Amino acid sequence: MQVRSIYRPGIVVAAGDELLADAAGRMHDKQVGSLAVLVGRDLVGIFTQSDLARAIAWGADPKVTTVAEYMTTQPVSVGLDTDVHEVVLAMLELECRHLPVIDAGRLVGMVSIRDLLGDVLRVA
């Protein structure tokens, strides 16, 4: 099975200069665990719930600290034709739960551990 059959199309984004509090609110409102950080149409980072937790644990004030200070830069991405087993291995190796999905050089969505678990449940 390929990423195209399980990923979530559409992108919830953040700007690098956005405050952590605003990004956290968007993640909550949209019920997502990660935000793509874009400059124009270019993916420059990913900001996740884990990044937010790390920022808070390290004492960052979410009302003055920006996403760019805690986002993962140059995130690993996968393509629509990537086999889901490769995605699982990448997430295990990287110790992450979200990967951007790229098609023809464009960000088209995210694949998450939740998507992969849904795939497992559909097969069972």
Side-chain angles (χ1 to χ4, degrees):
M1 184 168 288
Q2 297 174 324
V3 167
R4 75 174 62 252
S5 63
I6 65 164
Y7 86 108
R8 293 173 186 235
I11 307 147
V12 183
V13 300
D17 61 355
E18 186 172 348
L19 298 178
L20 295 183
D22 295 332
R26 184 170 313 101
M27 291 167 81
H28 175 75
D29 292 344
K30 300 292 184 178
Q31 297 184 352
V32 297
S34 66
L35 302 172
V37 183
L38 304 177
V39 172
R41 291 184 163 192
D42 296 327
L43 178 68
V44 296
I46 184 171
F47 183 73
T48 68
Q49 291 171 327
S50 296
D51 296 325
L52 179 61
R54 179 172 42 96
I56 300 304
W58 290 358
D61 181 344
K63 294 182 180 180
V64 297
T65 306
T66 65
V67 165
E69 294 176 62
Y70 285 92
M71 72 181 185
T72 300
T73 59
Q74 301 176 346
V76 170
S77 62
V78 295
L80 290 173
D81 296 328
T82 304
D83 187 273
V84 295
H85 294 97
E86 291 179 46
V87 175
V88 170
L89 293 173
M91 286 183 176
L92 287 170
E93 181 179 327
L94 297 166
E95 298 181 355
C96 70
R97 293 179 282 179
H98 303 87
L99 291 173
V101 179
I102 305 291
D103 183 41
R106 256 185 60 238
L107 178 65
V108 295
M110 290 280 181
V111 64
S112 72
I113 194 73
R114 184 183 338 172
D115 302 324
L116 293 166
L117 288 172
D119 176 51
V120 168
L121 292 175
R122 281 190 294 275
V123 172

